[in-house]
Amino acid sequence: MAVSRSWERKVRKNMSTVNKARKKQGHSMMSPGAEKMDRFTGRNIIMPVMLLLFVGAYNVLMQTDPNFNGGAMYWTTIVAYVLLAALFFFRRPYLTVGKDYVQSRRFTGDKRVKAADIERITVLKGYVVVRPKKGAGWTFSRLLNRFKTDDMAKRLEAFASAHGIEFEQK
């Protein structure tokens, strides 16, 4: 059965109106046929602080040298490290739990692991570890990255039981 284009336009227009209203109310936007996924975001604080401390130590060491004259390369280096710290601060780490996969941001980019490729999920106090069959485990920490590990643990427990993955809580 073919759907007319005018009907599709009406659906898109109404969906746009509903999504604008939901956005104003602080709810997530709706999209027809989209899968339900939960996203847990953290905040990277340690790396930006370490970079800023490095910049501060570099600045102090260079300023104490009597023969030092701050040229363009010196200030370029300072600005580059401050921008790198800002990049790490604003590029938030996350864990997305979908229907049959988990996805996270790693240093090398976004990585996705299907449920069949997960060996075990371990939950400790303040930590959640997702161990794939190949590669290193993904550790999500409340202390280092400000993740809500209790909420993550509940969602990952349901994910593990739905896919027959070993779930360990210590």
Side-chain angles (χ1 to χ4, degrees):
M1 180 169 124
V3 177
S4 69
R5 282 180 278 200
S6 63
W7 176 257
E8 290 173 354
R9 281 194 301 269
K10 286 179 184 178
V11 169
R12 271 196 307 267
K13 182 182 174 206
N14 289 338
M15 188 64 71
S16 174
T17 306
V18 168
N19 280 336
K20 284 179 185 175
R22 288 179 64 84
K23 187 175 180 182
K24 286 181 183 178
Q25 295 170 355
H27 298 294
S28 63
M29 296 184 4
M30 293 175 41
S31 60
E35 69 175 273
K36 173 73 171 114
M37 58 184 171
D38 294 317
R39 185 180 194 114
F40 303 96
T41 57
R43 175 67 74 184
N44 192 354
I45 297 172
I46 302 297
M47 187 66 122
V49 168
M50 294 297 286
L51 284 170
L52 292 176
L53 288 174
F54 175 75
V55 166
Y58 177 70
N59 192 18
V60 168
L61 287 174
M62 295 306 280
Q63 296 296 331
T64 57
D65 185 9
N67 298 328
F68 173 72
N69 57 348
M73 196 62 194
Y74 171 75
W75 289 109
T76 302
T77 304
I78 296 288
V79 169
Y81 274 107
V82 169
L83 288 175
L84 185 63
L87 175 83
F88 277 117
F89 183 75
F90 290 117
R91 192 172 170 238
R92 298 178 72 168
Y94 69 87
L95 171 70
T96 300
V97 182
K99 183 178 180 182
D100 63 342
Y101 67 90
V102 293
Q103 181 175 337
S104 179
R105 177 175 288 145
R106 309 276 94 196
F107 272 116
T108 57
D110 292 350
K111 300 291 182 196
R112 179 182 282 207
V113 177
K114 294 193 179 283
D117 297 331
I118 297 175
E119 180 182 339
R120 168 181 349 131
I121 297 173
T122 307
V123 176
L124 301 130
K125 185 176 182 195
Y127 292 93
V128 173
V129 180
V130 176
R131 172 112 19 226
K133 291 180 180 173
K134 292 198 293 190
W138 298 355
T139 303
F140 303 95
S141 168
R142 179 162 185 76
L143 178 66
L144 295 178
N145 294 115
R146 309 305 307 155
F147 279 108
K148 295 181 180 175
T149 55
D150 297 334
D151 297 340
M152 288 171 71
K154 289 176 188 171
R155 177 62 176 99
L156 286 171
E157 184 174 14
F159 178 80
S161 65
H163 295 287
I165 299 170
E166 180 184 341
F167 185 83
E168 184 180 355
Q169 187 152 8
K170 294 182 180 180

